[in-house]
Amino acid sequence: QVTLVESGGGSVQAGGSLRLSCGAAGFTYRWYCMGWFRQAPGLERGGVAVIDSSGSTSYADSVKGRFTISRDVGENVLYLELNSLRPEDTAMYYCAAELGHYCPGRSRKAFSYWGQGTQVTVSS
């Protein structure tokens, strides 16, 4: 059974930083594309960043240069470093997984497995 558990969310002021983690269990982690998504109240869940089994990454334009996705294959952990945070980054952040060495883009519809989310709140 695929299990994804996020942690590391919190409340910070604009310009601050956070590091999100996602622990993965129940599947062969290195065979999966992994991603981070976020959803603010009243908005659709959108892709933030994805990383494939080779370490290739893709980012939403709104976070390029500020966020960094990475994965520790040995520990089955996915990370998202959030820097230069803005109030508009406030959202619930979700970890997601999809079988395949390459990522099927950043659409939420392409990912089959999801964590419960961790809240990030950025105040101005």
Side-chain angles (χ1 to χ4, degrees), residues 1-5 23-32 34 75-76 97 99 113:
Q1 178 178 353
V2 174
T3 303
L4 301 171
V5 180
F27 61 106
T28 306
Y29 181 68
R30 65 183 183 274
W31 290 354
Y32 280 67
M34 300 296 297
E75 296 294 327
N76 286 9
L99 178 63
Y113 305 101

Side-chain angles (χ1 to χ4, degrees), residues 37-41 87-93 118-122:
F37 291 73
R38 67 185 179 184
Q39 186 169 16
E88 55 264 39
D89 294 319
T90 295
M92 185 72 78
Y93 283 71
T118 186
Q119 178 68 37
V120 172
T121 302
V122 185

Side-chain angles (χ1 to χ4, degrees), residues 31-86:
W31 290 354
Y32 280 67
C33 165
M34 300 296 297
W36 286 99
F37 291 73
R38 67 185 179 184
Q39 186 169 16
L43 298 179
E44 292 282 325
R45 187 175 301 186
V48 175
V50 298
I51 183 167
D52 69 18
S53 61
S54 70
S56 293
T57 59
S58 174
Y59 295 89
D61 288 344
S62 59
V63 306
K64 281 181 181 177
R66 300 188 299 123
F67 292 7
T68 302
I69 189 172
S70 61
R71 62 192 297 173
D72 184 329
V73 177
E75 296 294 327
N76 286 9
V77 181
L78 179 72
Y79 299 102
L80 185 69
E81 296 274 356
L82 297 76
N83 297 309
S84 301
L85 281 161
R86 305 166 180 169

